[in-house]
Amino acid sequence: MTHWITPDWPAPAYIRAATTLRTGGVSQAEFSSLNPADHVNDLPHHVLENRQRITSMLALPAEPVWLRQTHSVQVVCADQVTEPPEADASYTRKNSTVCTVLTADCLPLLLCDRQGTMVAAIHGGWRGLLNGIIENTVLKMSSTELYAWLGPAIGTQCFEVSDDVRNAFTNKSAQFASAFKKHTEDKYLADIYQIARILLNKAGVKQIYGGQYCTVTDKERFFSYRRDGQTGRMATMIWKV
């Protein structure tokens, strides 16, 4: 049994990427079992063991570059990081640097160029997506031909938002209206994958893959903050070999 998902996209052969599942670790109860997040009140020695298991099972070339994610639009160069920086995306041109984001309903998004010279990992909550985390990361990718992969996130039937969230997006562009469906009097169902596709297209990224998951409904494989409140996180990572 594998405890991760591998992106189905046409990245060059020397680009590696994966999203860990919630299985295959040592954490207990609501963190069961492969939780690598150290900010969710899981036992530190369990988190450490889980991180070591992830490094081993994915044959990572180095310790992942962990971020302190705050739903910002901050992008950092992963190979220049010493301590976990406050940022929501990282990129690198160097081999053996593992760009990593943690999610449990937010959208993990991976980028690489056609030549395989650069990779990036993005944490996309709705605030980061609205405010420009995708655009900021694409600007760091000095290539006109990028591939994007949309990892496991909250599905459109589960992502209920208020009308002010919808209005914030539609005020930015009328195109976003297609990503929201009326649900109740003042609530909408949002399609975070569609939001990301629109933003990627606007940023010049046309080759987009993934986006078929729902972290809320697939309890066996995925952690979900919307579903469970206190819970673990999946790690989505990308690196060059």
Side-chain angles (χ1 to χ4, degrees), residues 126 154-170 176-192 195 226:
W126 71 261
I154 186 169
T156 184
Q157 296 305 310
C158 299
F159 192 18
E160 186 182 84
V161 299
S162 57
D163 53 3
D164 62 331
V165 174
R166 177 187 180 273
N167 292 341
F169 278 98
T170 55
F176 288 110
S178 65
F180 295 87
K181 186 169 70 174
K182 189 82 170 177
H183 187 46
T184 62
E185 182 62 32
D186 58 348
K187 300 288 185 182
Y188 288 83
L189 292 175
D191 187 341
I192 201 168
I195 290 169
R226 179 71 63 115

Side-chain angles (χ1 to χ4, degrees), residues 197-213:
R197 290 185 189 102
I198 292 169
L199 289 165
L200 286 163
N201 282 328
K202 283 176 171 289
V205 182
K206 307 299 183 186
Q207 300 189 71
I208 306 168
Y209 304 86
Q212 70 270 39
Y213 310 94

Side-chain angles (χ1 to χ4, degrees), residues 56-209:
S56 175
M57 73 189 190
L58 293 176
L60 297 181
E63 174 76 8
V65 178
W66 306 102
L67 306 176
R68 290 190 294 121
Q69 299 166 191
T70 60
H71 297 273
S72 71
V73 294
Q74 187 68 30
V75 186
V76 295
C77 182
D79 53 81
Q80 296 177 4
V81 165
T82 51
E83 295 295 318
E86 193 170 294
D88 285 82
S90 67
Y91 68 95
T92 188
R93 288 183 176 85
K94 291 194 174 181
N95 292 353
S96 302
T97 298
V98 186
C99 296
T100 307
V101 291
L102 295 170
T103 59
D105 289 336
C106 289
L107 175 65
L109 196 158
L110 300 178
L111 296 173
C112 75
D113 63 339
R114 185 173 63 84
Q115 295 81 16
T117 62
M118 289 188 74
V119 297
I122 301 170
H123 163 242
W126 71 261
R127 288 178 184 83
L129 294 175
L130 175 69
N131 293 325
I133 189 65
I134 286 178
E135 297 94 316
N136 285 3
T137 310
V138 169
L139 283 172
K140 302 289 187 182
M141 308 285 286
S142 52
S143 171
T144 56
E145 192 167 357
L146 296 176
Y147 301 140
W149 181 73
L150 310 180
I154 186 169
T156 184
Q157 296 305 310
C158 299
F159 192 18
E160 186 182 84
V161 299
S162 57
D163 53 3
D164 62 331
V165 174
R166 177 187 180 273
N167 292 341
F169 278 98
T170 55
N171 288 340
K172 183 172 181 171
S173 169
Q175 276 187 269
F176 288 110
S178 65
F180 295 87
K181 186 169 70 174
K182 189 82 170 177
H183 187 46
T184 62
E185 182 62 32
D186 58 348
K187 300 288 185 182
Y188 288 83
L189 292 175
D191 187 341
I192 201 168
Y193 292 122
Q194 176 67 358
I195 290 169
R197 290 185 189 102
I198 292 169
L199 289 165
L200 286 163
N201 282 328
K202 283 176 171 289
V205 182
K206 307 299 183 186
Q207 300 189 71
I208 306 168
Y209 304 86

